[in-house]
């Protein structure tokens, strides 16, 4: 039996796996999905190691990381560096020398650890890193899980050249496959559901009374938090028997008006993470008569907040500009 038909050694490169302490169970979808893929591959007898960008003692690895897995760290190649996006906002651009150090370290790990496959997870930038890895003489195939499809209009010829070095591209939805097809990128669609255990109660018995309209995302314009401020402000006074609530995390682009609305209307509430004792996002969702998620931009596709809300059996109202 060939090695490909038996056990493989796979290196997973996922940027920014570590988060701020206290956020070990508040994990972005771009991290949850590859970690779940790693878990499933381990269950099937493959050897898997995680490669991620550098983190210090003030950061923590997510609770969903498979137990006992080996974790390697490589330098940041982006201008963002190790700064948490939720505090500073996204910073575009690369640091050429650090990017080359990152690629060189990835290449050295492939050699020293004996990876049969490098599995990269991300978008266009990660794909181009995978292409450069192949150009450095890496013989083992590079596979990409594509979780968003924002393709730059710049360096189109270079992108096409580097993407062709990638052996296989996977994505979660037909939408993403169709979005990148005009750029000549062929994807295999591998649909998935919720990959984490969400402890929602059985709705048949003891279901809580639902009197909440809920927004639960980062409170920024991309997620439509300002739309909810305006809409909840109109509705709260008209429907005093319902609560109109925000469950949010710290964010650099927090919209104005949430605190003022909650101070003005007795049935409007703000729950900032970390939540007070006895408050969980699962409980807030279960008590909702509906969830409002007026996205202007999807950070990943599918957007997991929508899937988890629907999984809870709550009618979910979405907008996508």
């Amino acid at each position: 039996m060939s090695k490909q038909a038996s056990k493989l050694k796979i290196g997973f490169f996922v940027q920014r796996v570590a988060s701020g302490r206290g956020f070990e169970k508040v994990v972005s979808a771009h991290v949850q999905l590859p970690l779940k893929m790693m878990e499933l591959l381990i269950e099937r007898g493959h050897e898997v190691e995680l490669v991620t960008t550098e983190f210090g003692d003030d950061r923590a690895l997510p609770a969903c990381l498979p137990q006992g897995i080996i974790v390697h760290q490589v330098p940041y190649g982006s201008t963002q560096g190790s700064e948490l996006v939720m505090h500073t906002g996204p910073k575009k651009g690369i640091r050429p020398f650090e990017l080359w150090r990152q690629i060189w370290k990835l290449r050295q790990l492939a050699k020293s650890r004996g990876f049969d496959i490098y599995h990269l997870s991300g978008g266009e930038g990660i794909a181009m890193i995978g292409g450069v890895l192949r150009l450095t003489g890496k013989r083992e195939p590079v596979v990409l899980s594509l979780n968003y499809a924002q393709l730059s209009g710049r360096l189109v010829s270079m992108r096409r050249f580097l993407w062709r070095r990638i052996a296989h591209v996977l994505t979660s939805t037909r939408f993403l496959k169709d979005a990148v097809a005009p750029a000549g990128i062929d994807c295999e669609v591998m649909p998935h559901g919720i990959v984490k255990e969400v402890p929602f109660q059985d709705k048949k018995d003891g279901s809580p009374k639902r009197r909440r309209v809920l927004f639960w995302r980062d409170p920024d314009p991309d997620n439509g938090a300002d739309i909810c401020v305006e809409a909840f402000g109109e509705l709260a006074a008209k429907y005093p028997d319902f609560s109109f609530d925000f469950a949010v995390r710290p964010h650099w682009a927090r919209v104005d008006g949430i605190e003022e609305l909650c101070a003005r209307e007795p049935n409007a509430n703000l729950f900032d993470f970390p939540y007070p004792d006895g408050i969980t996002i699962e409980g807030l969702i279960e008590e909702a008569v509906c969830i409002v998620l007026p996205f202007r931009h999807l950070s990943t596709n599918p957007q997991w907040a929508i899937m988890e809300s629907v999984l809870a059996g709550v009618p979910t109202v979405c907008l996508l500009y």
Side-chain angles (χ1 to χ4, degrees):
M1 181 180 292
S2 68
K3 192 169 187 178
Q4 283 71 24
S6 55
K7 186 174 78 170
L8 295 171
K9 188 168 187 179
I10 306 168
F12 265 76
F13 178 46
V14 187
Q15 295 201 100
R16 301 183 177 279
V17 169
S19 62
R21 292 196 175 276
F23 286 75
E24 292 87 344
K25 294 184 178 180
V26 184
V27 184
S28 296
H30 88 275
V31 172
Q32 286 187 47
L33 183 58
L35 295 191
K36 184 64 176 181
M37 294 175 71
M38 293 165 66
E39 178 186 317
L40 294 173
L41 288 165
I42 292 169
E43 289 176 358
R44 284 155 178 76
H46 300 290
E47 188 175 351
V48 179
E49 298 182 5
L50 173 64
V51 184
T52 189
T53 37
E54 294 170 336
F55 57 92
D57 294 338
D58 60 333
R59 305 292 166 82
L61 292 168
C64 57
L65 181 72
Q67 291 292 317
I69 199 161
I70 295 173
V71 179
H72 307 280
Q73 298 183 44
V74 298
Y76 283 92
S78 66
T79 305
Q80 186 76 42
S82 62
E83 295 177 327
L84 292 174
V85 176
M86 69 177 179
H87 294 315
T88 66
K91 296 181 179 179
K92 296 182 179 180
I94 63 170
R95 296 179 294 175
F97 178 72
E98 293 302 313
L99 180 59
W100 180 247
R101 285 186 61 226
Q102 181 187 82
I103 293 170
W104 185 253
K105 184 66 180 292
L106 288 168
R107 180 72 188 98
Q108 292 302 108
L109 281 170
K111 289 182 177 180
S112 63
R113 302 302 298 173
F115 295 154
D116 298 304
I117 296 173
Y118 241 136
H119 193 128
L120 281 56
S121 182
E124 180 180 29
I126 296 298
M128 295 180 80
I129 288 174
V132 173
L133 270 174
R134 292 284 290 164
L135 292 177
T136 63
K138 185 185 181 305
R139 296 183 179 180
E140 302 78 18
V142 171
V143 175
L144 172 70
S145 285
L146 184 67
N147 52 35
Y148 57 94
Q150 290 180 306
L151 300 180
S152 169
R154 302 167 56 196
L155 305 174
V156 174
S157 296
M158 180 183 292
R159 179 179 67 209
R160 186 180 298 114
F161 175 75
L162 291 175
W163 279 72
R164 286 175 178 170
R165 266 66 254 164
I166 297 173
H168 206 65
V169 181
L170 303 172
T171 192
S172 303
T173 65
R174 183 77 192 186
F175 173 86
L176 280 179
K177 177 182 174 69
D178 292 344
V180 298
I185 299 168
D186 185 31
C187 300
E188 178 183 353
V189 178
M190 184 179 289
H192 61 81
I194 303 298
V195 302
K196 70 175 183 179
E197 293 185 12
V198 183
F200 293 123
Q201 297 177 8
D202 187 345
K203 302 299 183 297
K204 295 179 181 178
D205 293 304
S207 181
K209 189 176 182 180
R210 297 187 175 192
R211 307 293 290 181
R212 169 176 286 118
V213 179
L214 179 67
F215 170 88
W216 70 285
R217 285 292 297 169
D218 289 335
D220 69 335
D222 278 350
N223 291 313
D226 56 318
I227 297 173
C228 284
V229 170
E230 183 177 353
F232 289 6
E234 293 285 335
L235 295 170
K238 295 179 181 179
Y239 299 94
D241 293 336
F242 288 82
S243 66
F244 295 84
D245 300 339
F246 298 83
V248 301
R249 299 182 294 186
H251 197 272
W252 67 280
R254 189 180 186 119
V255 302
D256 296 328
I258 299 177
E259 289 82 357
E260 291 80 0
L261 169 62
C262 294
R264 185 178 72 247
E265 302 292 348
N267 56 332
N269 303 288
L270 171 61
F271 300 98
D272 264 312
F273 187 87
Y275 306 124
D277 289 344
I279 300 295
T280 66
I281 190 61
E282 292 82 14
L284 293 173
I285 291 172
E286 285 186 311
E287 294 169 6
V289 65
C290 76
I291 290 170
V292 184
L293 300 172
F295 294 103
R296 288 188 174 95
H297 168 73
L298 298 183
S299 59
T300 187
N301 192 292
Q303 192 73 51
W304 289 25
I306 298 173
M307 292 197 297
E308 292 177 6
S309 300
V310 172
L311 177 67
V314 182
T316 303
V317 180
C318 300
L319 291 174
L320 181 56
Y321 282 73

